[in-house]
mmCIF file of all heavy atoms in Angstrom:
data_model
loop_
_atom_site.group_PDB
_atom_site.id
_atom_site.type_symbol
_atom_site.label_atom_id
_atom_site.label_comp_id
_atom_site.label_asym_id
_atom_site.label_seq_id
_atom_site.Cartn_x
_atom_site.Cartn_y
_atom_site.Cartn_z
ATOM 1 N N HIS Q 95 -10.244 -2.970 17.377
ATOM 2 C CA HIS Q 95 -9.103 -2.751 16.472
ATOM 3 C C HIS Q 95 -7.806 -3.120 17.167
ATOM 4 O O HIS Q 95 -6.977 -3.866 16.629
ATOM 5 C CB HIS Q 95 -9.058 -1.291 15.996
ATOM 6 C CG HIS Q 95 -7.753 -0.942 15.344
ATOM 7 N ND1 HIS Q 95 -6.785 -0.191 15.968
ATOM 8 C CD2 HIS Q 95 -7.232 -1.292 14.142
ATOM 9 C CE1 HIS Q 95 -5.740 -0.084 15.175
ATOM 10 N NE2 HIS Q 95 -5.979 -0.736 14.058
ATOM 11 N N ARG Q 99 -5.171 -5.968 16.069
ATOM 12 C CA ARG Q 99 -3.834 -5.490 15.661
ATOM 13 C C ARG Q 99 -2.740 -6.177 16.483
ATOM 14 O O ARG Q 99 -1.698 -6.563 15.956
ATOM 15 C CB ARG Q 99 -3.781 -3.965 15.810
ATOM 16 C CG ARG Q 99 -2.530 -3.341 15.225
ATOM 17 C CD ARG Q 99 -2.611 -1.832 15.195
ATOM 18 N NE ARG Q 99 -1.287 -1.269 15.074
ATOM 19 C CZ ARG Q 99 -0.762 -0.797 13.941
ATOM 20 N NH1 ARG Q 99 -1.471 -0.778 12.839
ATOM 21 N NH2 ARG Q 99 0.470 -0.332 13.906
ATOM 22 N N ALA Q 259 -4.336 -4.945 1.109
ATOM 23 C CA ALA Q 259 -3.492 -3.828 1.556
ATOM 24 C C ALA Q 259 -2.063 -3.985 1.073
ATOM 25 O O ALA Q 259 -1.345 -2.997 0.908
ATOM 26 C CB ALA Q 259 -3.518 -3.730 3.083
ATOM 27 N N GLY Q 260 -1.624 -5.242 0.832
ATOM 28 C CA GLY Q 260 -0.192 -5.447 0.653
ATOM 29 C C GLY Q 260 0.292 -5.719 -0.745
ATOM 30 O O GLY Q 260 1.485 -5.647 -1.005
ATOM 31 N N THR Q 263 -0.187 -2.172 -3.534
ATOM 32 C CA THR Q 263 0.584 -1.051 -2.983
ATOM 33 C C THR Q 263 2.084 -1.267 -3.210
ATOM 34 O O THR Q 263 2.777 -0.377 -3.715
ATOM 35 C CB THR Q 263 0.337 -0.941 -1.471
ATOM 36 O OG1 THR Q 263 0.356 -2.258 -0.922
ATOM 37 C CG2 THR Q 263 -0.965 -0.267 -1.137
ATOM 38 N N THR Q 264 2.555 -2.453 -2.865
ATOM 39 C CA THR Q 264 3.987 -2.722 -2.992
ATOM 40 C C THR Q 264 4.378 -2.790 -4.471
ATOM 41 O O THR Q 264 5.428 -2.274 -4.873
ATOM 42 C CB THR Q 264 4.349 -4.040 -2.264
ATOM 43 O OG1 THR Q 264 3.731 -4.021 -0.978
ATOM 44 C CG2 THR Q 264 5.840 -4.188 -2.113
ATOM 45 N N SER Q 267 4.551 0.722 -5.872
ATOM 46 C CA SER Q 267 5.724 1.437 -5.355
ATOM 47 C C SER Q 267 6.979 0.967 -6.081
ATOM 48 O O SER Q 267 7.876 1.767 -6.392
ATOM 49 C CB SER Q 267 5.894 1.197 -3.854
ATOM 50 O OG SER Q 267 4.752 1.643 -3.174
ATOM 51 N N LEU Q 312 -0.542 6.191 -1.763
ATOM 52 C CA LEU Q 312 -1.775 6.770 -1.215
ATOM 53 C C LEU Q 312 -1.515 8.240 -0.918
ATOM 54 O O LEU Q 312 -0.496 8.587 -0.331
ATOM 55 C CB LEU Q 312 -2.177 6.033 0.069
ATOM 56 C CG LEU Q 312 -2.500 4.548 -0.152
ATOM 57 C CD1 LEU Q 312 -2.560 3.803 1.170
ATOM 58 C CD2 LEU Q 312 -3.822 4.387 -0.913
ATOM 59 N N ARG Q 317 -9.107 9.897 9.157
ATOM 60 C CA ARG Q 317 -9.605 9.651 10.508
ATOM 61 C C ARG Q 317 -10.911 10.424 10.654
ATOM 62 O O ARG Q 317 -10.935 11.639 10.435
ATOM 63 C CB ARG Q 317 -8.637 10.170 11.588
ATOM 64 C CG ARG Q 317 -7.228 9.647 11.522
ATOM 65 C CD ARG Q 317 -7.112 8.196 11.983
ATOM 66 N NE ARG Q 317 -5.703 7.797 12.047
ATOM 67 C CZ ARG Q 317 -5.042 7.227 11.053
ATOM 68 N NH1 ARG Q 317 -5.651 6.962 9.915
ATOM 69 N NH2 ARG Q 317 -3.775 6.899 11.197
ATOM 70 N N PRO Q 373 4.587 7.660 4.285
ATOM 71 C CA PRO Q 373 3.920 6.859 3.252
ATOM 72 C C PRO Q 373 3.097 5.727 3.857
ATOM 73 O O PRO Q 373 2.197 5.190 3.213
ATOM 74 C CB PRO Q 373 5.086 6.292 2.427
ATOM 75 C CG PRO Q 373 6.243 6.286 3.346
ATOM 76 C CD PRO Q 373 6.052 7.477 4.246
ATOM 77 N N PHE Q 374 3.417 5.350 5.104
ATOM 78 C CA PHE Q 374 2.699 4.265 5.765
ATOM 79 C C PHE Q 374 1.760 4.785 6.855
ATOM 80 O O PHE Q 374 1.345 4.029 7.733
ATOM 81 C CB PHE Q 374 3.701 3.276 6.378
ATOM 82 C CG PHE Q 374 4.586 2.599 5.357
ATOM 83 C CD1 PHE Q 374 5.936 2.920 5.259
ATOM 84 C CD2 PHE Q 374 4.073 1.649 4.487
ATOM 85 C CE1 PHE Q 374 6.753 2.292 4.319
ATOM 86 C CE2 PHE Q 374 4.882 1.017 3.542
ATOM 87 C CZ PHE Q 374 6.223 1.339 3.453
ATOM 88 N N GLY Q 375 1.391 6.065 6.791
ATOM 89 C CA GLY Q 375 0.523 6.630 7.819
ATOM 90 C C GLY Q 375 1.246 6.726 9.143
ATOM 91 O O GLY Q 375 2.479 6.872 9.178
ATOM 92 N N GLY Q 376 0.482 6.626 10.264
ATOM 93 C CA GLY Q 376 1.156 6.759 11.549
ATOM 94 C C GLY Q 376 0.311 6.392 12.739
ATOM 95 O O GLY Q 376 -0.883 6.103 12.632
ATOM 96 N N ARG Q 379 -2.477 3.277 13.877
ATOM 97 C CA ARG Q 379 -2.986 2.721 12.619
ATOM 98 C C ARG Q 379 -1.884 2.574 11.586
ATOM 99 O O ARG Q 379 -2.158 2.235 10.439
ATOM 100 C CB ARG Q 379 -4.074 3.626 12.016
ATOM 101 C CG ARG Q 379 -5.244 3.951 12.894
ATOM 102 C CD ARG Q 379 -6.003 2.768 13.371
ATOM 103 N NE ARG Q 379 -6.593 1.907 12.376
ATOM 104 C CZ ARG Q 379 -7.834 1.422 12.441
ATOM 105 N NH1 ARG Q 379 -8.630 1.777 13.426
ATOM 106 N NH2 ARG Q 379 -8.282 0.585 11.543
ATOM 107 N N CYS Q 381 0.732 1.455 8.970
ATOM 108 C CA CYS Q 381 0.702 0.236 8.161
ATOM 109 C C CYS Q 381 1.376 -0.928 8.883
ATOM 110 O O CYS Q 381 2.543 -0.845 9.264
ATOM 111 C CB CYS Q 381 1.416 0.503 6.839
ATOM 112 S SG CYS Q 381 1.571 -0.955 5.809
ATOM 113 N N GLY Q 383 2.196 -3.647 7.523
ATOM 114 C CA GLY Q 383 3.130 -4.316 6.618
ATOM 115 C C GLY Q 383 4.279 -3.425 6.173
ATOM 116 O O GLY Q 383 4.952 -3.746 5.187
ATOM 117 N N PHE Q 386 7.546 -5.255 5.987
ATOM 118 C CA PHE Q 386 7.402 -6.276 4.939
ATOM 119 C C PHE Q 386 7.565 -5.611 3.564
ATOM 120 O O PHE Q 386 8.326 -6.075 2.718
ATOM 121 C CB PHE Q 386 6.010 -6.902 5.075
ATOM 122 C CG PHE Q 386 5.739 -8.078 4.174
ATOM 123 C CD1 PHE Q 386 5.842 -9.365 4.660
ATOM 124 C CD2 PHE Q 386 5.357 -7.888 2.858
ATOM 125 C CE1 PHE Q 386 5.570 -10.461 3.836
ATOM 126 C CE2 PHE Q 386 5.091 -8.968 2.020
ATOM 127 C CZ PHE Q 386 5.202 -10.260 2.517
ATOM 128 N N ALA Q 387 6.862 -4.490 3.367
ATOM 129 C CA ALA Q 387 6.873 -3.821 2.062
ATOM 130 C C ALA Q 387 8.264 -3.288 1.728
ATOM 131 O O ALA Q 387 8.773 -3.482 0.620
ATOM 132 C CB ALA Q 387 5.855 -2.689 2.058
HETATM 133 C C1 HEM L 594 4.604 0.160 -0.293
HETATM 134 C C2 HEM L 594 3.603 -0.573 0.168
HETATM 135 C C3 HEM L 594 2.578 -0.105 1.162
HETATM 136 C C4 HEM L 594 2.119 1.155 1.427
HETATM 137 C C5 HEM L 594 2.530 2.457 0.751
HETATM 138 C C6 HEM L 594 1.135 1.040 2.494
HETATM 139 C C7 HEM L 594 0.462 2.115 3.058
HETATM 140 C C8 HEM L 594 -0.466 2.004 4.082
HETATM 141 C C9 HEM L 594 -1.169 3.121 4.663
HETATM 142 C C10 HEM L 594 -0.997 4.579 4.272
HETATM 143 C C11 HEM L 594 -1.978 2.622 5.641
HETATM 144 C C12 HEM L 594 -2.939 3.436 6.527
HETATM 145 C C13 HEM L 594 -2.177 3.948 7.733
HETATM 146 C C14 HEM L 594 -2.928 4.951 8.560
HETATM 147 O O1 HEM L 594 -4.159 5.039 8.480
HETATM 148 O O2 HEM L 594 -2.266 5.667 9.339
HETATM 149 C C15 HEM L 594 -1.806 1.193 5.663
HETATM 150 C C16 HEM L 594 -2.473 0.341 6.532
HETATM 151 C C17 HEM L 594 -2.307 -1.021 6.529
HETATM 152 N N1 HEM L 594 -1.433 -1.752 5.741
HETATM 153 FE FE1 HEM L 594 -0.145 -1.018 4.372
HETATM 154 N N2 HEM L 594 1.016 -0.275 2.844
HETATM 155 C C18 HEM L 594 1.880 -1.006 2.066
HETATM 156 C C19 HEM L 594 2.091 -2.373 2.121
HETATM 157 C C20 HEM L 594 1.474 -3.229 3.003
HETATM 158 C C21 HEM L 594 1.759 -4.641 3.113
HETATM 159 C C22 HEM L 594 2.826 -5.388 2.323
HETATM 160 C C23 HEM L 594 0.891 -5.151 4.054
HETATM 161 C C24 HEM L 594 0.751 -6.554 4.569
HETATM 162 C C25 HEM L 594 1.189 -7.637 3.973
HETATM 163 C C26 HEM L 594 0.082 -4.040 4.538
HETATM 164 C C27 HEM L 594 -0.901 -4.152 5.500
HETATM 165 C C28 HEM L 594 -1.586 -3.081 6.063
HETATM 166 C C29 HEM L 594 -2.593 -3.218 7.111
HETATM 167 C C30 HEM L 594 -3.065 -4.529 7.745
HETATM 168 C C31 HEM L 594 -3.033 -1.924 7.423
HETATM 169 C C32 HEM L 594 -4.083 -1.540 8.478
HETATM 170 C C33 HEM L 594 -3.426 -1.143 9.804
HETATM 171 C C34 HEM L 594 -4.424 -0.732 10.883
HETATM 172 O O3 HEM L 594 -5.489 -0.213 10.542
HETATM 173 O O4 HEM L 594 -4.115 -0.930 12.067
HETATM 174 N N3 HEM L 594 0.460 -2.900 3.865
HETATM 175 N N4 HEM L 594 -0.864 0.827 4.710
#
Side-chain angles (χ1 to χ4, degrees):
H95 167 256
R99 189 171 161 101
T263 43
T264 313
S267 300
L312 297 166
R317 304 286 187 268
F374 297 109
R379 305 301 300 225
C381 175
F386 186 99

